[in-house]
Amino acid sequence: MQRRLGRFWNMQSMRYTIIMPVGLVSKNCTGVLELEKMSAPKRNFQIGPLKRQIVMDPNYADKTWKILEEGIHEIYNCNISGLSFEELYRNAYNMVLHKFGEKLYSGLVTTMTHHLEVISKSIEAAQGGLFLEELNRKWADHNKALQMIRDILMYMDRTFIPSTHKTPVHELGLNLWRDNIIHSAKIQTRLQDTLLDLVLRERTGEVINRGLMRNVIKMLMDLGSSVYQDDFEKHFLEVSADFYRAESQQFIECCDCGEYLKKAERRLNEEMERVSHYLDAKSEAKITSVVEKEMVESHMQRLVHMENSGLINMLVDDKYEDLGRMYSLFRRVPNGLFIIRDVMTSHIRSTGKQLVTDPERLKDPVDFVQRLLDEKDKNDKIINLAFNNDKTFQNALNSSFEYFINLNSRSPEFISLFVDDKLRKGLKGVSEEDVEIVLDKVMMLFRYLQEKDVFEKYYKQHLAKRLLSGKTVSDDAERSLIVKLKTECGYQFTSKLEGMFTDMKTSEDTMQGFYASSFAETGDGPTLAVQVLTTGSWPTQPSATCNLPAEILGVCEKFRGYYLGTHTGRRLSWQTNMGTADLKATFGRGQKHELNVSTHQMCALMLFNNADRLSYKEIEQATEIPASDLKRCLQSMACVKGKNILRKEPMSKDIAEDDAFFVNDKFSSKFYKVKIGTVVAQRESEPENQETRQRVEEDRKPQIEAAIVRIMKSRRVLDHNNIVAEVTKQLQSRFLPSPVLIKKRIESLIEREFLERDKVDRKLYRYLA
Amino acid sequence: MRRSSTRKTGQSNSAASVNSSATDLFRSASSKATSKELERIDQLFYSYANRSSNLIDPEGIEVLCSDVEVDHTDVRILMLAWKMKAEKQGYFTLEEWRRGLKALRTDTVSKLKKALPELEKEVRRPSNFVDFYSYAFQYCLTEEKQKSIDIESICELLDLVLGSQFQAQVDSFVEYLKTQNDYKVINMDQWMGFFRFCNEISFPDLRNYDPELAWPLILDNFVEWRRAKHS
């Protein structure tokens, strides 16, 4: 059966049946063994060379080749219907078999080259847009032809070519195409220019024939990656770089930062899409890095610092989308995120610094802290929404906060006042979850503090006031905060605070016991409520002199008797500067009020039960309250609108020795119960602040020394730098000791012979047991 | 020799010295000094000593100084005290006197005077000077539990002891001490620290001074003060 070449040709599913050629030789069969005449039975057979020579048709090769040549020609002319695959295959086979492979091969090369030259001319002749189409069409034709040719010459491909290390047919066809078409002088440049021109047009908004582009690009890829790269990709990248360089320059002149970033992002996406549609996937990384470099990297500084629209403006105005875009674009280039982070950090630091050093802000501690919290929230949100929760940004934010919060030495005090305000009234009616949120935020600020021991001091003071005045919104909230502080700083930090709570509870029980006992008289004496505070747990207050009224003294002594009866070996001292009293008062026009006052105020007021007029001096003598306290307490009763239960002559705010005080018979208030005493925690005055700070400094000395001794005891010998480092590490949860301070304490310890300097190596210290 | 030593022993017994056992020790320990020399040393002692206390007191020292033609504030007297290992400032005991003069191999005033330059050379030898320097501080501690010396005295002492060797450093440090307010006294640690400073730190540029090391704080402050002054 002879197969016919035609439309149904499909290499893959072809099955070949080779019919042994019969009419190959003109004369006898070749290679057929011929038995010579048989001689005597014992004679051996010998196989010898054929005695008769095979004589080939001398023109055999030429004739055969001619057939094939003609066949190739027809294939190229798309005239395949009259061809017989079988015949052509057979001819090629025979040529190879008869050692005419070389002629076949070289003939192939010549023929194909010739055809390609013709094709080349036709492509060159194409005008304008048709150039690419013609090229594409001819390429398709060539491939088809090549396929067929390869099939016909398969025997040669499998035998002759490998043994002679020649280029296989298919590859040969591609190479010839490449050399004769693509690299032909008249086509090469034109092809490049055409392709690049189309890209340019597409970039400027025109619609181009993507399918055609894809095919042509694929052709280049098929011809080899070096062809794709050298003939197209290299130039593509160069031209693109120029294009984007120019465009970015233009944009940056006329756009603001946000707009520019949008454009850059758009271009980037465009290029990626372009690659996916008609370029080699490997080009994606290369072209995107061109865009990144030209549009982003070259202009990073200018974008970030652009006036009115740059990074800082975006941060201030919470432009999440723009910031997110900047983040994802800058992320792609080296140092991009570094620049963002750097500018953001210095912005936060300077804003923060302004916040904490602004004298106006410092007048209201609660507002001060609230602003800090707001600033943190704002930045957290930005990092969350726009910066992908990037940890390096979180760290930069934390270090900035730590930096500026500690610029103001009163930050610890203010944070404690903020907490005080919340626990006193701010958290009233707030759900448990929300309370936790607020407390956690406070803890976050607390962590930034370097001087945690200062915070502890103030917190203790404020807590004491809250507990003693009974003015805490929620016991649970108080305890929750203590637990958080304990988790953060250890048991040492909170043991005294917990002691304060314990004292309050114990006092309750003590009072019950007192009133149940025989010590308490039922009568119309004053009712006493005592809180017994363990010294050491509570903030130390120097107890001042104060003469209590007789009635009070009486009941106080009864309590003392009861208490010391059950607790021998203890000493009680009345803290008159911390107490309160409720007085029932009747004024001139019969109006009755219940006054809630401090103990000192009560002592002063009780004097007026026995006198109508008293001078300041007289009050001072009678009560023996220290001058500054007494003046303050009288002022709060005589000079404050709405609380003026006393009248002063003269009416001035200052109190002089001879000023006279009277009960203000005209006093009125719409409330029955009037609160006069102020035991609320307040921002310290400057001198008070100095005093507290001094106390803190004094407290630190033994702590540093204890740390030094601890370290030296275990190490025995240690050099200076290491001591400083170890001490700092040990104390860092409380405060940051300066190296100078540590050195001072070391020298003090040397003087007291706890340590000595090593005699030989002066950098070392030795522990003296 | 033996006969003469017996004679000497006999003689010393009749000398009726109060601390004869000490004298014996003294005699037995010394191998180089002759008995005549020892006698002369003692005699010299008594010529300056206060009759009632049997010590050479400040007055006596002043006389001694004029005899050897050295001012009583001269450093060589301090060096002599060091050689004697004298304990109390302004006073020499017999034992100390003997110790010092025997070691100097002098028994007359003129020999003592001649010995002073040698003594100075000996003290200034690096191996001895540290000891002398530290001795100088301790010598000035007059009270029993005293550990520091007031600034005024320190300034004088510094000049006396280190003035010739490190004049520039001493002058500058003294100026600092007089102008600062942080320290009213100097202790031994700081005193020794300054000597180290003079030996190790290049002056006046203070190039190799590192406040991060274990220098006494007062020297850190001194360096800072100098740098501020000269910037």
Side-chain angles (χ1 to χ4, degrees), chain A residues 292-435:
Chain A
E292 285 157 11
K293 180 168 178 295
E294 297 300 333
M295 294 210 86
V296 179
E297 197 179 345
S298 313
H299 300 285
M300 279 199 296
Q301 291 285 359
R302 191 165 166 182
L303 283 168
V304 159
H305 291 117
M306 207 177 261
E307 242 183 83
N308 296 331
S309 66
L311 176 60
I312 294 187
N313 299 82
M314 290 184 193
L315 289 171
V316 168
D317 297 333
D318 292 325
K319 291 261 194 305
Y320 302 119
E321 205 191 299
D322 287 342
L323 287 166
R325 191 169 294 119
M326 185 184 266
Y327 180 81
S328 61
L329 283 174
F330 277 50
R331 196 184 197 179
R332 293 163 164 269
V333 301
N335 278 337
L337 290 187
F338 175 81
I339 291 182
I340 299 181
R341 204 168 41 235
D342 192 49
V343 171
M344 184 176 180
T345 304
S346 51
H347 168 71
I348 295 176
R349 282 186 185 214
S350 74
T351 332
K353 189 171 174 182
Q354 263 177 19
L355 251 174
V356 304
T357 50
D358 181 358
E360 278 304 306
R361 294 276 144 258
L362 300 181
K363 290 188 183 160
D364 183 350
V366 178
D367 177 63
F368 172 89
V369 174
Q370 188 58 52
R371 278 172 186 274
L372 290 177
L373 290 176
D374 292 342
E375 188 68 23
K376 181 78 177 20
D377 281 342
K378 178 191 165 79
N379 285 296
D380 276 340
K381 200 166 172 193
I382 289 176
I383 293 178
N384 181 17
L385 292 180
F387 294 157
N388 200 30
N389 274 325
D390 189 319
K391 211 145 205 317
T392 59
F393 280 79
Q394 277 290 359
N395 292 343
L397 179 63
N398 285 337
S399 83
S400 305
F401 262 73
E402 195 177 318
Y403 162 75
F404 69 72
I405 281 185
N406 288 302
L407 286 179
N408 186 343
S409 60
R410 297 188 79 160
S411 292
E413 185 196 346
F414 288 1
I415 295 177
S416 179
L417 284 170
F418 178 83
V419 174
D420 182 76
D421 179 78
K422 291 283 170 240
L423 288 171
R424 191 183 280 280
K425 48 180 158 67
L427 291 175
K428 195 168 188 145
V430 174
S431 75
E432 217 178 283
E433 287 161 9
D434 290 340
V435 164

Side-chain angles (χ1 to χ4, degrees), chain A residues 734-766:
Chain A
R734 291 188 59 76
F735 62 93
L736 206 63
S738 71
V740 168
L741 206 55
I742 298 176
K743 206 186 229 192
K744 255 201 183 138
R745 298 331 313 157
I746 292 177
E747 285 184 13
S748 167
L749 287 169
I750 290 176
E751 222 181 286
R752 286 179 278 149
E753 294 176 20
F754 282 89
L755 305 175
E756 65 174 3
R757 289 189 203 271
D758 186 85
K759 308 243 180 326
V760 178
D761 184 349
R762 302 287 288 180
K763 284 197 297 293
L764 294 179
Y765 298 103
R766 242 169 232 292

Side-chain angles (χ1 to χ4, degrees), chain A residues 568-586:
Chain A
T568 47
R570 292 192 184 178
R571 208 161 40 128
L572 289 178
S573 57
W574 296 103
Q575 302 289 302
T576 53
N577 50 352
M578 288 164 93
T580 57
D582 290 324
L583 295 174
K584 284 205 173 70
T586 312

Side-chain angles (χ1 to χ4, degrees), chain B residues 117-149:
Chain B
E118 260 313 306
L119 173 63
E120 192 171 344
K121 241 193 261 175
E122 184 194 343
V123 168
R124 293 216 182 271
R125 257 186 270 143
S127 48
N128 289 326
F129 195 77
V130 179
D131 193 59
F132 171 70
Y133 182 79
S134 133
Y135 172 81
F137 184 88
Q138 277 162 336
Y139 191 63
C140 293
L141 297 172
T142 47
E143 305 304 311
E144 204 192 294
K145 291 246 172 107
Q146 189 183 0
K147 292 217 171 116
S148 350
I149 301 176

Side-chain angles (χ1 to χ4, degrees), chain A residues 11-22:
Chain A
M11 270 253 298
Q12 250 78 346
S13 57
M14 193 67 92
R15 285 191 189 285
Y16 299 97
T17 47
I18 308 291
I19 297 173
M20 194 59 170
V22 170

